[in-house]
Amino acid sequence: MTKAKEICIFRMEYSKENIVNLLSIEGKEEIEQLRQSAYKTMSEHCGEKVYLRGLVEFSNYCRNDCYYCGIRKSNANVERYHLEQSEIVEAAKWAAEQGYGSFVLQSGERTDPKFIDFVCEVLQKIKIGTKSDKLPDGLGITLCVGEQDFETYQRFFEAGAHRYLLRIETTNQELYSEIHPPEMKFENRLHCLAMLREIGYQVGTGVMIGIPGQTIEDLAQDILFFKEHDIDMIGMGPFINHEDTPMGAGKTNDFKDNKLLFLSLKMIAVARLVLKDVNIAATTALQAISPFGREHGLRYGANVVMPLMTPLEVRKSYQLYDGKPCIDEFGSECAECLAQRIVSTDREIAKNEWGDSRHFINKKKKSK
Ligand code: 5AD
């Protein structure tokens, strides 16, 4: 019997040891078995539709200095930008016209009142500006602007964001403190995730895969963390060196052996098996390490894709890692290319649907 079968892919409870075993699978056939099981789990719990969220990276100003990230505040080689509200709202309207259903607003982290007011205003404008017969409540909105306080999260929620993404990056606390400056505390991330949950957001988190020093046990623990924290949405991707960062300086990325790609895909598949009804994104970073990375992500159990809609002029300034794809395409070209790519995986693209996390919806139903 193959190793994958031996550990019985479809088990009700996954122990850390089972998860480590699944993530350690190397044989082609076994990986394919894992993929098929993950895909089946996805179709049973979420259906086969792919949900699109237009992604606008509206500012690359950041108060943080994460050792891995290209837009860290100490990187003087980045040209800083901040989009106008009108540009963001236009992009949102375009996304709504395409039938995307949902939108993601992402930026570097800032906590000053001017920034917070800006985000609240733009959320309200998007909500009002994208209402139509097809989308009576406007676009669904996911926000991704880092660690904030309770009042700020509450204000964003009231202004119209109903999902929030805040990656934990790694649940190995020692590793977390190695890749972040001392003022960034693991406990605060946990606290932020708890506040987001309390306010009523659909809560998303995720990790970087392949951080130097990270083990398979760490990754297994990450998946158990998602489960223990009752996470609704997952966004994970490979760690990629950025030359202007302490972790990436002097290093080149070499993805020829596909090891990192397969580890990332196995993470998606195992997260799907363990968590079942959550939304899982096939992230752009997957495509940075493999030309068809996002399509593979969909085949391994992901059900969300975030087409990049950041205006072309500033896209090159939002590079968290080297080799970001799609930095010289237009929004419309990107949309078309992505649609063709998704169709190539035999999946239907949801139109004018928010595509909320089934996990969140099921939880709500249960609590009534
Ligand atoms: N490689 C991969 N992902 C990265 N991120 C930031 N820098 C990198 C990198 N060098 C991810 C982090 C962050 C998200 C917005 O981008 O996980 O939470």
Side-chain angles (χ1 to χ4, degrees):
M1 197 191 286
T2 62
K3 194 169 162 196
K5 277 190 189 144
E6 231 172 80
I7 35 188
C8 177
I9 293 181
F10 289 113
R11 50 192 312 138
M12 294 301 282
E13 288 296 331
Y14 289 89
S15 67
K16 184 160 173 186
E17 198 191 341
N18 302 142
I19 297 176
V20 167
N21 285 336
L22 287 171
L23 292 174
S24 309
I25 287 174
E26 296 285 354
K28 241 184 163 177
E29 261 173 49
E30 287 175 309
I31 292 182
E32 178 57 16
Q33 279 174 16
L34 174 65
R35 185 196 74 73
Q36 286 180 15
S37 309
Y39 195 91
K40 191 156 177 253
T41 305
M42 178 200 71
S43 356
E44 280 172 12
H45 292 270
C46 305
E48 291 194 27
K49 279 188 188 171
V50 175
Y51 298 93
L52 300 184
R53 284 98 172 80
L55 168 62
V56 169
E57 299 146 331
F58 66 92
S59 167
N60 64 357
Y61 285 92
C62 191
R63 68 183 186 125
N64 289 336
D65 228 358
C66 307
Y67 300 155
Y68 47 87
C69 182
I71 63 165
R72 62 199 303 267
K73 73 170 173 209
S74 300
N75 184 6
N77 294 334
V78 180
E79 207 178 309
R80 301 287 164 172
Y81 71 88
H82 201 300
L83 296 183
E84 300 288 334
Q85 288 192 357
S86 56
E87 292 176 285
I88 305 172
V89 177
E90 276 318 301
K93 284 185 179 163
W94 189 84
E97 278 158 23
Q98 302 304 304
Y100 282 7
S102 281
F103 198 59
V104 182
L105 273 178
Q106 189 184 103
S107 74
E109 189 173 301
R110 274 175 58 184
T111 51
D112 52 287
K114 200 171 160 203
F115 174 80
I116 292 165
D117 290 345
F118 178 94
V119 174
C120 288
E121 281 166 27
V122 92
L123 285 167
Q124 284 159 347
K125 286 183 184 165
I126 293 172
K127 274 288 167 199
I128 296 167
T130 57
K131 279 196 171 106
S132 68
D133 292 347
K134 286 181 184 151
L135 281 175
D137 293 315
L139 283 172
I141 306 181
T142 309
L143 199 56
C144 183
V145 297
E147 295 178 14
Q148 306 286 344
D149 60 20
F150 189 90
E151 190 202 334
T152 305
Y153 283 146
Q154 182 85 50
R155 281 186 62 197
F156 291 159
F157 189 74
E158 280 160 14
H162 73 296
R163 309 185 187 115
Y164 203 101
L165 285 176
L166 181 67
R167 287 191 181 176
I168 193 76
E169 313 297 358
T170 172
T171 58
N172 176 334
Q173 295 191 42
E174 226 167 274
L175 187 58
Y176 186 95
S177 54
E178 279 169 30
I179 65 173
H180 293 102
E183 65 276 13
M184 291 185 69
K185 301 271 187 260
F186 183 82
E187 296 74 34
N188 197 48
R189 271 233 173 162
L190 288 183
H191 181 51
C192 286
L193 289 170
M195 289 192 287
L196 292 164
R197 157 89 57 239
E198 189 184 334
I199 291 168
Y201 282 97
Q202 290 175 45
V203 179
T205 193
V207 293
M208 291 185 290
I209 301 158
I211 304 169
Q214 189 182 44
T215 64
I216 294 290
E217 283 74 19
D218 291 336
L219 292 169
Q221 193 55 52
D222 294 341
I223 292 180
L224 288 173
F225 172 92
F226 302 152
K227 177 104 185 146
E228 280 155 18
H229 286 75
D230 205 13
I231 292 300
D232 304 302
M233 324 180 291
I234 315 277
M236 323 177 264
F239 165 79
I240 303 171
N241 289 302
H242 187 296
E243 59 177 352
D244 293 330
T245 62
M247 284 171 71
K251 301 209 176 99
T252 44
N253 291 300
D254 177 9
F255 307 121
K256 277 198 284 295
D257 62 6
N258 277 342
K259 245 185 133 93
L260 184 58
L261 173 68
F262 277 103
L263 183 58
S264 306
L265 295 173
K266 284 187 280 183
M267 274 296 278
I268 292 180
V270 179
R272 171 61 71 203
L273 286 170
V274 177
L275 301 161
K276 301 193 167 42
D277 55 0
V278 297
N279 277 346
I280 303 182
T283 56
T284 316
L286 271 178
Q287 201 182 321
I289 64 166
S290 163
F292 296 100
R294 279 192 289 192
E295 291 87 321
H296 291 316
L298 292 174
R299 294 176 49 250
Y300 277 73
N303 64 335
V304 168
V305 174
M306 299 184 278
L308 197 56
M309 293 185 48
T310 306
L312 203 57
E313 316 82 79
V314 296
R315 257 185 216 190
K316 60 175 184 328
S317 301
Y318 203 94
Q319 294 204 56
L320 309 181
Y321 43 79
D322 287 337
K324 178 178 174 179
C326 312
I327 54 174
D328 38 43
E329 277 150 86
F330 293 103
S332 56
E333 282 176 22
C334 244
E336 217 154 278
C337 154
L338 202 71
Q340 279 168 16
R341 280 166 173 264
I342 294 169
V343 169
S344 79
T345 61
D346 290 330
R347 299 274 284 274
E348 183 193 342
I349 300 176
K351 284 253 165 189
N352 302 307
E353 288 180 57
W354 280 11
D356 280 338
S357 160
R358 298 296 322 168
H359 185 71
F360 185 84
I361 296 169
N362 293 340
K363 240 184 322 192
K364 282 230 141 160
K365 270 192 210 145
K366 271 188 219 153
S367 68
K368 268 185 192 160

